[in-house]
Amino acid sequence: MKLEIFQVDAFTTKPFGGNPAAIVPLEAWLPTETMQSIALENNLSETAFFVRVGDKYELRWFTPTFEIDLCGHAT
């Protein structure tokens, strides 16, 4: 499986500063277990996944160990 994964540093203007998060755009949702494994491998505080649905986006956020309800800096 090939996926684009972006690491962004929120709340900073300097490289390698702020609060890092991984962002993974998807065409369709992957199984929850797969997204959890990707988040574990990224080993960042949060990994955000998003899918475009019409003119809106659906988002899900994972820590390395579990899915969470919301993450501001990864959004």
Side-chain angles (χ1 to χ4, degrees):
M1 163 185 348
K2 280 187 160 186
L3 296 173
E4 287 187 302
I5 299 177
F6 300 91
Q7 184 170 326
V8 297
D9 295 320
F11 312 125
T12 187
T13 57
K14 297 190 287 185
F16 310 109
N19 201 351
I23 311 299
V24 184
L26 299 172
E27 295 290 322
W29 290 116
L30 299 171
T32 298
E33 299 79 17
T34 302
M35 292 187 288
Q36 186 63 67
S37 294
I38 292 168
L40 175 62
E41 187 169 283
N42 287 335
N43 199 31
L44 295 169
S45 61
E46 279 83 27
T47 298
F49 298 86
F50 70 89
V51 172
R52 185 176 185 164
V53 179
D55 61 349
K56 298 181 181 184
Y57 292 89
E58 295 179 356
L59 293 123
R60 292 176 70 183
W61 303 268
F62 291 80
T63 73
T65 55
F66 56 89
E67 186 171 5
I68 59 174
D69 293 331
L70 177 66
C71 176
H73 80 279
T75 300

